[in-house]
Amino acid sequence: MTYESDIIIIGAGVVGLAIAAKVASKNRKVYVLEKNETFGQEISSRNSEVIHAGIYYPPNSLKAKMCVTGNRILYELCEKYGIGHRRLGKLIVATSDKETRALQTLWERGRKNGAESLKLLSKPEMRKLEPNISGIAAIFSPSTGIIDSHALMQCFIARAMEQGAQIAYQSKVIGIEKLTNEYKITVEDRTGKFSFVTRLLINCAGLHSDKVAELAGIDIVRAGYKLHYCKGEYFSVGSGKGSMVKRLIYPVPPPKLTGVGIHITLDLEGRMRLGPSAYYVDSLDYAIGNQHKSFFYNSVKRLLPFIGYDDLEPEMTGIRPKLQEPGGDVKDFVIREESDKSLPGFFNLIGIESPGLTASPAIADYVGSLVKL
Ligand SMILES: Cc1cc2nc3c(=O)[nH]c(=O)nc-3n(C[C@H](O)[C@H](O)[C@H](O)COP(=O)(O)OP(=O)(O)OC[C@H]3O[C@@H](n4cnc5c(N)ncnc54)[C@H](O)[C@@H]3O)c2cc1C
């Protein structure tokens, strides 16, 4: 059986769904194909749910631009559609003179990126906001917040379906063949194989997006699309200590920025969580134990002296789809249409790690502006 379509989106994570909501329209046949039983089972449900301000990323990078724009759009969407969120604000806290100098550089970068209303705080100013933390100076980012990412994805789904888009779950894309002016997409579900013919194809396959690009015949090593998995663990903080801080608390990040350092987030119920760590792994294994508990405890006790070792419990893990090799330089998102690889109408979104949740509506606007039918 072969179905006709105008646009196929591979992957029902926050990025694919945001794009579906953007490109769906009554006069287009749009399908989202998802290999899992439902939406958002991979990176989009294993993250910190932070609406980032856009401080860390290299100026003019897609990460910086889309994070700053996405931040603004996300708050608008939250207000308009009643999506759970809180604009808590965040502190990036320096604990040494060296870190205070790094804080200044970060503040300048954040301002260059357009991150909203950043302030450098002295120790007394910082302590006034958060009396229970240690540190000697901080950046205050008032536009950082938290969001119910599940509700955000449900909102994108509702908007896409309202415009006639369809989502096929348990439908894994296993083949991509370029025809003269279209693509033939082979899909496998529980009952067997079937196919779509589509004019445009948008690869939002997250941790598998390099493999999907490869299905279309792209040499992913040559193109610089090969992904490296970087695992992040989270520990929850019990003993009612969630109320000891009111904002998200971050350390000054390490120089090569594999992650942004073990930080302290709060969820919408006020529960405190530490993480994520960042280390490269070879496979998609989400297991977590107590092996890294001491590392977590030592990382945060200099910021949160009230935390005890026994307050920490392993909670969950997520895995980042990194273009950055172990020990290598930071890489930007890849978001491109592949005409120059003789694949016009094929869009690749690869390496959409943090701040991909924040950036998702801005990514959707950008991809939407490239879609010509
Ligand atoms: C530990 C961690 C913390 C993070 N924290 C934040 C944060 O606080 N703020 C923020 O802005 N960002 C954060 N991020 C980044 C953010 O979560 C991601 O950028 C975003 O969720 C990526 O969404 P996605 O749709 O690209 O990927 P996914 O959600 O993984 O979706 C991809 C989908 O494609 C499907 N798929 C793959 N291959 C196929 C195939 N062949 N056929 C059919 N379907 C397929 C998968 O099943 C999956 O559902 C974090 C990420 C991690 C790992």
Side-chain angles (χ1 to χ4, degrees):
M1 177 88 189
T2 300
Y3 299 90
E4 290 285 325
S5 89
D6 295 307
I7 304 178
I8 296 261
I9 297 166
I10 305 174
V14 72
V15 174
L17 295 172
I19 293 173
K22 185 74 202 176
V23 302
S25 84
K26 296 274 190 236
N27 52 12
R28 286 177 179 166
K29 278 191 188 157
V30 176
Y31 289 89
V32 180
L33 305 179
E34 168 55 56
K35 67 178 169 57
N36 293 331
E37 276 180 15
T38 187
F39 64 92
Q41 296 295 290
E42 301 202 354
I43 319 173
S44 298
S45 57
R46 294 173 168 275
N47 60 64
S48 309
E49 298 192 298
V50 172
I51 304 179
H52 287 297
I55 301 169
Y56 301 98
Y57 320 104
N60 293 318
S61 61
L62 289 175
K63 283 183 178 171
K65 288 192 271 196
M66 293 188 175
C67 185
V68 170
T69 311
N71 174 294
R72 180 181 49 74
I73 307 175
L74 269 195
Y75 283 118
E76 285 167 11
L77 290 175
C78 287
E79 293 296 337
K80 185 167 174 192
Y81 295 103
I83 299 165
H85 70 291
R86 284 176 69 201
R87 200 189 276 255
L88 292 175
K90 134 176 171 177
L91 293 178
I92 306 174
V93 178
T95 54
S96 65
D97 289 343
K98 190 173 166 209
E99 284 188 353
T100 306
R101 286 192 293 279
L103 209 58
Q104 177 75 33
T105 312
L106 203 56
W107 179 73
E108 280 158 18
R109 172 176 280 200
R111 281 173 54 100
K112 227 179 246 171
N113 285 348
E116 215 180 279
S117 310
L118 297 181
K119 282 194 198 99
L120 271 173
L121 303 184
S122 63
K123 185 172 175 177
E125 288 169 327
M126 179 192 86
R127 297 279 298 204
K128 210 167 162 191
L129 291 182
E130 293 291 348
N132 296 317
I133 65 171
S134 295
I136 57 174
I139 293 175
F140 175 47
S141 164
S143 73
T144 303
I146 51 174
I147 184 169
D148 178 345
S149 56
H150 194 81
L152 175 68
M153 289 188 273
Q154 281 174 321
C155 171
F156 287 141
I157 290 174
R159 287 172 54 206
M161 290 180 81
E162 220 172 77
Q163 290 301 317
Q166 295 188 52
I167 307 183
Y169 294 115
Q170 296 184 309
S171 299
K172 180 175 181 179
V173 172
I174 57 165
I176 299 172
E177 186 188 341
K178 167 100 176 60
L179 308 176
T180 311
N181 293 314
E182 293 168 317
Y183 291 90
K184 182 179 172 200
I185 314 299
T186 307
V187 179
E188 193 172 46
D189 71 4
R190 277 177 306 178
T191 58
K193 290 180 191 169
F194 58 100
S195 54
F196 286 87
V197 169
T198 186
R199 292 167 68 189
L200 301 184
L201 176 62
I202 307 179
N203 168 15
C204 304
L207 291 159
H208 315 272
S209 50
D210 56 345
K211 310 272 179 335
V212 167
E214 210 164 32
L215 288 179
I218 293 177
D219 179 338
I220 57 170
V221 174
R222 230 173 112 192
Y225 291 177
K226 188 170 169 28
L227 287 174
H228 308 274
Y229 301 145
C230 183
K231 187 165 176 175
E233 296 169 323
Y234 291 90
F235 277 71
S236 60
V237 180
S239 319
K241 297 207 169 145
S243 57
M244 300 288 281
V245 297
K246 296 191 172 46
R247 297 166 184 81
L248 311 178
I249 311 291
Y250 284 60
V252 175
K256 285 247 174 179
L257 204 71
T258 312
V260 289
I262 303 291
H263 49 267
I264 295 98
T265 58
L266 299 166
D267 67 13
L268 288 166
E269 279 76 46
R271 284 183 298 247
M272 188 188 279
R273 194 202 246 176
L274 312 179
S277 51
Y279 60 96
Y280 283 88
V281 291
D282 295 328
S283 62
L284 297 176
D285 172 6
Y286 294 106
I288 181 169
N290 273 316
Q291 304 92 308
H292 300 133
K293 183 167 169 174
S294 298
F295 168 72
F296 272 75
Y297 173 65
N298 291 324
S299 301
V300 297
K301 74 173 182 199
R302 66 198 177 99
L303 299 176
L304 306 189
F306 56 84
I307 288 208
Y309 184 79
D310 292 336
D311 297 334
L312 305 192
E313 286 293 333
E315 194 187 282
M316 67 129 180
T317 59
I319 298 183
R320 305 169 179 86
K322 277 203 170 287
L323 289 165
Q324 179 183 4
E325 292 168 8
D329 291 331
V330 173
K331 294 275 168 67
D332 203 359
F333 294 154
V334 166
I335 303 178
R336 69 192 309 273
E337 196 259 0
E338 302 285 11
S339 284
D340 63 358
K341 294 187 182 66
S342 305
L343 296 167
F346 180 40
F347 294 78
N348 274 314
L349 288 88
I350 303 180
I352 313 297
E353 53 170 330
S354 194
L357 173 65
T358 310
S360 57
I363 292 175
D365 282 357
Y366 178 60
V367 172
S369 74
L370 300 177
V371 162
K372 308 272 182 280
L373 272 179

